[in-house]
Amino acid sequence: TVGVVVRSISACIFAFSPSISDLLSPTKRIARKPMCVSFAGEIVVSEVNFVRKCMGTVTTRDDLWGKLICTNFKVSFVTHDPSRQKFQYCNRLLGDHDVPLACVEQLVTVNDTTGKQKVLLSNRKLKFSPTELIIYCKDFRILRFRFDESGPESAKKVCLAIAHYCQPADPLLLFGFEYVGKRYDGSSGTMFFARLRTPLFDCSSDWDREIKRTGASEWRVCSLNEGYAVSPSLPEHFVVPVSLADQDLRQFSCSFAGQRIPLWCWNHPNGSALVRMASIRDVAHQRKLEQRVCSAVTRSHPKRSDVLQSNLDRSLPRIQDVQTSLVKLRQICVFEPYQESEDKWFSSMETVLLHPTEEEDRDLSCVVSSLVQLMLDPHFRSIEGFQSLVQKEWVMAGHRFLDRCNHLKKSSKEESPLFLLFVDCVWQLMNQFPSAFEFTEIYLAVLCDSMWIPVFSTFLFNCPRQRAEHSRDFAQSRYLFLGEEKTLRFPPVWDWSQQFSHRDQALFNSPFYVGKRAAPCVQNGAVKTFKRTKKSYSSTLRGMPSMQNGMLGRHGSLPRRNSLILRFRPESPARREAPESTLDHFTRDWLSRPADPHGLLLPQLLPSHLKLWRLYFLRWVPEARIPHGGMVMALHKLSLLADEIETLQMKLRQYSGGPTPGCSSDRVTLSPEQRRMYFRGSPLPITPQQPEYLSSAFPFSPVGNLSRPEVLGTPLRKFLSGARLWLSSETLVNQTP
């Protein structure tokens, strides 16, 4: 099973580079109230009045007038135009026209009189008065502001302030420290954040519970790294085989890259374990160490099965390849950023070519281990389980979020969207198995956006030790009393109340999700439960062609019907087919069955099965927006149905005399906190109306986000206009000449 999963992941990763054919469908983001949101630790650095925000590329009729503000947290545009106050989805940390400074990718200033353009960098002078500022964002937005009626000096100051504050020179200058410091109770040394159900794995009890949940009886919690005495990038508590003593672990830890002792990730119910391991630097003792680790893992299995090792360096792309894929995808979806000269562009590309492979298991190992567990364990497809998976395999395992997100804008060599790659792979799985996941694609998009809000501990540091050290340094500089915890406690992103109301968080819940227990069926007054009968299903049910590693073989191309290729292709000599391996037989047999949302998920890996995540990558393209179209329409209808079912279930419990959580005895309606769906039904006989603001990009809106200057005459315009293009081999099969 593990072998099948690893093969599936290798192809699933390349879903991050979609085909052009997937650009046919669009997106939008729901607007919010125009206001300047400010909170603890935020201060205004510079501002300029009479600024015009460009809302379109062809006409200025819809442009907004207001004030452009730079704080130590975000770039904010404040307008009082009443025509724009139709917003439904509200982020408590950001207004509709706000951009976190950490989300700024590039700043370009323009002077219309001289025709000069300049990329603004921190601590660089601006020799001309700008008439326009263009902000390229990491979430694919492009914002354009005009200073035609503004004071030239004020415009220059606000541009320089944005350039300075979006490129902090030190981690302690990230806004999260100011935010946490202002909310800290210095007298008691405590923080006031909501209690979470998601385990953070920063204590041994969280690991103990995970061991019990997975039934890993031959594994134990090790606290050898308390105070980060052994490895600087591992958590203080982690799981190791029972047969390995702390003394042995300490002895051979120095032989691993980064002193990263092999980490237990997860246990299958049959006793098989998933373990991740860094490379061994001590070549002389490599074989001996590998045998020692494998022997300990083997003894942890009830049947003493052999260990299967998978070298990720040989099968997966480099982190720079992932970054290159994102750049290419950005060029397709949005207008590429301004470059001062071609020579400079080519010189910057030289930095991408020479890099070592991954030695420590902190990058693509996080992607692979997370996807393996997601495909094997239905617990991780729930919201709480998925959050614990990211916390365990990314945050506590030491993924370099600070470097990979390039929050300090220091080196593009270290930047790579590995977490976005992982979330895109999760979306590919969700797209093929919608009933297997409790969360929606809106949840995944919001999670990715949260990477650029430098408040949450989840995405702010390279490892737990770095968080502890920077917290102590910041506390000493501000004379804060830390108390027993000895470190500042940043809110994790899983505390969604920091960003959204309870009602808005309901958009995270999927109406497609099938719960763990089978739903009973009432038939002729008797309650029956559906049971699946064992049948032999044709492989054509799920489109299973002859594949190797998820790709068509050399003779498995898909030619056009009546194609000349079929007429003139020479007949290949008869040859004896190789016997089907056990792995291939298992894969073919598994994919021939109907998908079980609570079983193993093996995705289809043909190019036609891998789609572009339109909600995330095309949400800022106005031309791609389909009013009352897209997946949101199915989400709306099914949410109404799911909400009605919840209400009926509550009434049945009440009539049968059972307890009804959240409801008083004389009421038959659920409280708002008890209702899971964002879209809710109305009391009969009222029929709920379809909201006017729904579109294919809900809950995002491309208004005022110039993702490309003009698409007339471009391939994207042809796609959006419905042009028939030959895009893939699968399309060719279904077309006649």
Side-chain angles (χ1 to χ4, degrees):
T1 300
V2 173
V4 176
V5 170
V6 171
R7 285 177 58 184
S8 299
I9 289 170
S10 299
C12 190
I13 279 182
F14 291 97
F16 194 67
S17 302
S19 63
I20 304 288
S21 60
D22 293 318
L23 289 173
L24 280 168
S25 268
T27 17
K28 163 192 167 187
R29 168 180 177 187
I30 269 212
R32 302 182 280 275
K33 269 192 177 180
M35 57 182 176
C36 183
V37 182
S38 61
F39 42 88
E42 185 176 14
I43 58 173
V44 175
V45 177
S46 182
E47 61 183 41
V48 57
N49 289 302
F50 308 112
V51 176
R52 177 163 56 91
K53 182 180 181 181
C54 301
M55 306 297 287
T57 57
V58 179
T59 177
T60 62
R61 180 182 56 189
D62 297 326
D63 290 357
L64 295 180
W65 289 89
K67 178 189 294 187
L68 185 62
I69 303 172
C70 174
T71 74
N72 58 340
F73 167 53
K74 65 179 183 285
V75 179
S76 182
F77 180 76
V78 181
T79 181
H80 301 285
D81 188 341
S83 64
R84 296 293 173 187
Q85 298 182 10
K86 297 180 181 178
F87 306 138
Q88 304 294 326
Y89 196 54
C90 179
N91 189 313
R92 290 173 172 172
L93 300 181
L94 298 168
D96 184 67
H97 300 283
D98 294 351
V99 176
L101 292 170
C103 189
V104 175
E105 177 78 27
Q106 189 179 81
L107 295 170
V108 177
T109 52
V110 182
N111 184 280
D112 292 341
T113 305
T114 61
K116 290 183 178 180
Q117 297 184 2
K118 182 176 179 61
V119 177
L120 278 184
L121 301 175
S122 181
N123 299 322
R124 298 290 180 88
K125 293 182 178 180
L126 183 59
K127 297 181 180 180
F128 58 84
S129 297
T131 58
E132 183 177 324
L133 173 66
I134 305 174
I135 303 178
Y136 295 92
C137 304
K138 293 183 177 180
D139 62 1
F140 284 36
R141 274 184 292 177
I142 300 177
L143 306 177
R144 184 167 158 236
F145 300 96
R146 297 285 304 179
F147 304 118
D148 302 294
E149 306 297 331
S150 308
E153 288 302 316
S154 298
K156 181 186 293 187
K157 287 181 180 179
V158 78
C159 292
L160 291 173
I162 296 172
H164 177 74
Y165 278 86
C166 75
Q167 302 178 50
D170 188 88
L172 298 184
L173 297 178
L174 291 168
F175 176 72
F177 288 94
E178 292 290 340
Y179 177 74
V180 172
K182 290 295 183 181
R183 299 188 61 173
Y184 211 82
D185 185 353
S187 59
S188 61
T190 56
M191 289 293 296
F192 300 101
F193 293 117
R195 290 184 176 271
L196 300 176
R197 297 179 59 186
T198 301
L200 299 181
F201 295 99
D202 56 355
C203 58
S204 59
S205 59
D206 288 345
W207 291 102
D208 274 326
R209 281 189 287 270
E210 185 66 9
I211 288 176
K212 293 177 182 177
R213 188 191 71 81
T214 58
S217 58
E218 296 298 319
W219 298 79
R220 66 179 178 89
V221 179
C222 173
S223 300
L224 179 67
N225 202 39
E226 280 189 338
Y228 308 101
V230 175
S231 174
S233 60
L234 287 179
E236 292 186 287
H237 312 279
F238 48 89
V239 178
V240 297
V242 170
S243 58
L244 287 179
D246 286 359
Q247 182 179 357
D248 297 329
L249 293 171
R250 187 189 301 274
Q251 181 178 356
F252 61 68
S253 63
C254 297
S255 300
F256 290 94
Q259 294 79 49
R260 292 180 62 85
I261 302 169
L263 287 178
W264 173 87
C265 301
W266 176 78
N267 247 58
H268 191 272
N270 67 7
S272 299
L274 178 66
V275 181
R276 53 195 287 185
M277 184 174 72
S279 61
I280 300 176
R281 290 180 173 175
D282 191 350
V283 180
H285 298 86
Q286 181 174 356
R287 185 174 180 82
K288 181 180 178 181
L289 281 176
E290 286 182 348
Q291 289 177 347
R292 185 73 182 274
V293 172
C294 291
S295 176
V297 174
T298 298
R299 285 198 295 270
S300 70
H301 194 280
K303 295 183 179 180
R304 302 298 190 263
S305 299
D306 293 335
V307 174
L308 173 64
Q309 297 187 56
S310 178
N311 192 333
L312 300 184
D313 285 343
R314 299 174 183 174
S315 57
L316 296 179
R318 300 176 307 157
I319 62 172
Q320 290 75 27
D321 297 331
V322 179
Q323 176 69 8
T324 302
S325 296
L326 181 66
V327 171
K328 293 178 180 178
L329 182 60
R330 185 191 300 271
Q331 292 173 351
I332 295 174
C333 297
V334 302
F335 186 75
E336 59 182 318
Y338 162 79
Q339 294 288 343
E340 290 182 329
S341 68
E342 289 188 3
D343 293 338
K344 185 174 181 179
W345 188 86
F346 283 116
S347 65
S348 66
M349 288 298 292
E350 293 174 0
T351 62
V352 182
L353 300 179
L354 300 176
H355 291 281
T357 56
E358 178 180 344
E359 292 186 351
E360 300 180 8
D361 57 324
R362 302 172 65 181
D363 289 317
L364 287 169
S365 294
C366 300
V367 179
V368 173
S369 64
S370 300
L371 289 176
V372 168
Q373 295 171 67
L374 195 72
M375 295 162 69
L376 288 171
D377 193 340
H379 168 71
F380 294 124
R381 301 168 210 158
S382 66
I383 293 178
E384 182 181 339
F386 181 77
Q387 293 178 169
S388 69
L389 176 68
V390 174
Q391 187 71 26
K392 173 169 65 80
E393 296 298 323
W394 292 78
V395 181
M396 300 310 294
H399 178 65
R400 299 180 180 89
F401 277 109
L402 183 67
D403 294 340
R404 298 298 178 251
C405 295
N406 202 12
H407 286 318
L408 301 182
K409 311 287 195 304
K410 282 189 174 180
S411 173
S412 59
K413 299 178 183 179
E414 298 293 328
E415 185 175 3
S416 184
L418 295 176
F419 187 72
L420 178 58
L421 168 64
F422 163 66
V423 176
D424 184 79
C425 293
V426 175
W427 181 86
Q428 299 291 339
L429 284 168
M430 182 191 300
N431 188 49
Q432 296 188 26
F433 307 97
S435 62
F437 293 86
E438 186 183 15
F439 44 86
T440 62
E441 63 174 333
I442 296 174
Y443 169 84
L444 295 179
V446 169
L447 178 61
C448 290
D449 290 343
S450 301
M451 281 194 296
W452 315 121
I453 302 180
V455 166
F456 308 111
S457 60
T458 314
F459 305 119
L460 210 54
F461 304 101
N462 286 336
C463 59
R465 177 182 177 177
Q466 188 185 62
R467 178 179 67 86
E469 291 178 346
H470 290 338
S471 296
R472 286 195 295 268
D473 294 342
F474 181 81
Q476 292 175 2
S477 66
R478 299 299 177 91
Y479 302 101
L480 295 176
F481 173 64
L482 295 180
E484 296 180 358
E485 293 186 351
K486 299 180 181 180
T487 181
L488 289 176
R489 196 166 186 85
F490 289 76
V493 72
W494 320 125
D495 182 6
W496 292 109
S497 62
Q498 296 283 322
Q499 297 190 69
F500 306 106
S501 66
H502 186 274
R503 172 66 191 276
D504 287 344
Q505 291 178 51
L507 276 172
F508 298 165
N509 301 322
S510 172
F512 300 95
Y513 182 59
V514 176
K516 293 182 179 179
R517 289 177 293 182
C521 173
V522 179
Q523 184 177 4
N524 297 328
V527 178
K528 298 183 178 180
T529 303
F530 290 112
K531 293 183 179 179
R532 178 178 296 166
T533 57
K534 189 173 182 180
K535 299 180 181 179
S536 79
Y537 298 91
S538 168
S539 62
T540 58
L541 283 175
R542 298 181 63 192
M544 179 61 187
S546 174
M547 295 193 301
Q548 286 187 337
N549 295 328
M551 304 301 292
L552 289 169
R554 187 166 64 94
H555 299 291
S557 60
L558 298 174
R560 291 177 56 184
R561 186 184 304 167
N562 299 328
S563 171
L564 292 177
I565 297 177
L566 292 178
R567 302 179 189 177
F568 297 107
R569 176 184 292 172
E571 294 185 1
S572 56
R575 59 178 181 177
R576 181 181 300 175
E577 293 187 1
E580 189 176 40
S581 67
T582 304
L583 182 61
D584 290 338
H585 176 74
F586 171 80
T587 304
R588 183 176 296 278
D589 178 66
W590 188 268
L591 291 178
S592 68
R593 308 174 188 174
D596 179 8
H598 301 296
L600 170 65
L601 302 184
L602 289 182
Q604 295 283 15
L605 302 174
L606 286 175
S608 58
H609 294 117
L610 303 179
K611 307 296 183 182
L612 175 69
W613 185 12
R614 302 180 185 101
L615 181 66
Y616 186 82
F617 294 111
L618 287 179
R619 55 184 165 164
W620 310 122
V621 181
E623 295 82 2
R625 176 180 174 268
I626 303 176
H628 302 292
M631 281 299 297
V632 70
M633 306 311 297
L635 178 69
H636 174 253
K637 295 294 184 183
L638 286 177
S639 295
L640 295 178
L641 181 60
D643 184 68
E644 184 177 352
I645 291 174
E646 285 184 357
T647 303
L648 291 175
Q649 288 175 338
M650 180 272 301
K651 290 181 179 180
L652 287 173
R653 284 194 297 267
Q654 187 182 47
Y655 292 151
S656 62
T660 306
C663 300
S664 59
S665 59
D666 58 341
R667 297 186 62 187
V668 290
T669 57
L670 289 170
S671 64
E673 290 75 16
Q674 297 294 322
R675 302 177 77 167
R676 295 181 61 255
M677 296 295 107
Y678 181 82
F679 301 109
R680 299 168 181 175
S682 304
L684 295 175
I686 302 174
T687 303
Q689 298 296 320
Q690 186 182 92
E692 291 295 327
Y693 53 77
L694 289 185
S695 76
S696 56
F698 176 86
F700 305 98
S701 170
V703 176
N705 300 292
L706 308 178
S707 52
R708 47 172 73 233
E710 179 55 57
V711 298
L712 290 174
T714 64
L716 181 61
R717 167 58 71 181
K718 295 178 182 178
F719 281 119
L720 300 177
S721 300
R724 289 182 64 189
L725 299 177
W726 303 93
L727 297 173
S728 67
S729 55
E730 184 184 39
T731 306
L732 298 178
V733 170
N734 299 320
Q735 298 286 344
T736 56

